[in-house]
Amino acid sequence: MRPVITVQGLEARYGDELILKDVSFEVSESEILVIAGSSGCGKSTLMKCMLGLVPIVAGTVVVSGVDIKSARDGELGRLRDHIGVLFQSGGLLGSLTVFENVALPLTRRKGLDDETVRFLVENKLGLVGLGGFGHLLPSQLSGGMKKRAGLARAMV
């Protein structure tokens, strides 16, 4: 089976500080890979490299056939449209309702009518046990509810 993610000899830095050195792995379709480690060891930096958000100093990262290091912005944008990211704290925007936060990735796409967006958002909120809570602001949610709202957005 061909890998959907290939990381080979990855090196990343923030200024002069080396964060990742010689990181290599592959992930095949339907495979689940867990990246675990202590705080500050580079897990988030690795994810940001895989999304093209942090420059790759050395090595290669290929996701779904896209070489992240040499990809143009448009190509990275199309790739990111197919990737859901769940932030540790939910990453919700405080000025938007839960519904609006979950709908955010969908509203960037052209061609989705309001009815389709509403169906998808309500479906995902229902899947995470937040059906009927779309009208609330993040400040009105418990910590667990915020995480579930973030999961709904990642799924959408």
Side-chain angles (χ1 to χ4, degrees):
M1 194 179 311
R2 233 174 91 210
V4 291
I5 300 172
T6 301
V7 176
Q8 193 164 21
L10 175 63
E11 184 175 308
R13 296 176 176 271
Y14 291 120
D16 291 336
E17 187 176 354
L18 179 66
I19 305 299
L20 300 172
K21 181 179 179 183
D22 198 26
V23 175
S24 299
F25 62 91
E26 290 184 343
V27 182
S28 297
E29 190 172 334
S30 300
E31 182 179 9
I32 297 172
L33 174 72
V34 174
I35 299 170
S38 61
S39 178
C41 73
K43 300 177 302 288
S44 294
T45 300
L46 172 60
M47 296 302 297
K48 289 175 182 177
C49 287
M50 292 169 41
L51 293 168
L53 300 173
V54 168
I56 296 168
V57 174
T60 59
V61 176
V62 178
V63 179
S64 297
V66 176
D67 183 338
I68 301 300
K69 194 172 182 179
S70 63
R72 299 193 188 285
D73 286 341
E75 194 174 15
L76 283 174
R78 285 187 295 279
L79 174 67
R80 290 177 188 143
D81 282 345
H82 298 281
I83 297 173
V85 177
L86 177 60
F87 298 93
Q88 280 180 274
S89 62
L92 303 175
L93 300 174
S95 62
L96 300 179
T97 65
V98 170
F99 183 96
E100 292 166 333
N101 268 285
V102 175
L104 199 56
L106 296 173
T107 57
R108 289 187 48 230
R109 294 189 179 152
K110 296 179 180 168
L112 287 180
D113 59 86
D114 290 346
E115 185 178 328
T116 301
V117 170
R118 186 173 24 265
F119 171 79
L120 291 169
V121 170
E122 288 176 358
N123 177 270
K124 299 311 179 206
L125 286 173
L127 287 173
V128 299
L130 291 178
F133 291 92
H135 65 285
L136 297 178
L137 292 170
S139 62
Q140 298 172 296
L141 301 178
S142 70
M145 292 170 84
K146 289 177 186 176
K147 287 186 180 211
R148 288 186 281 143
L151 177 58
R153 186 183 53 212
M155 290 190 307
V156 83

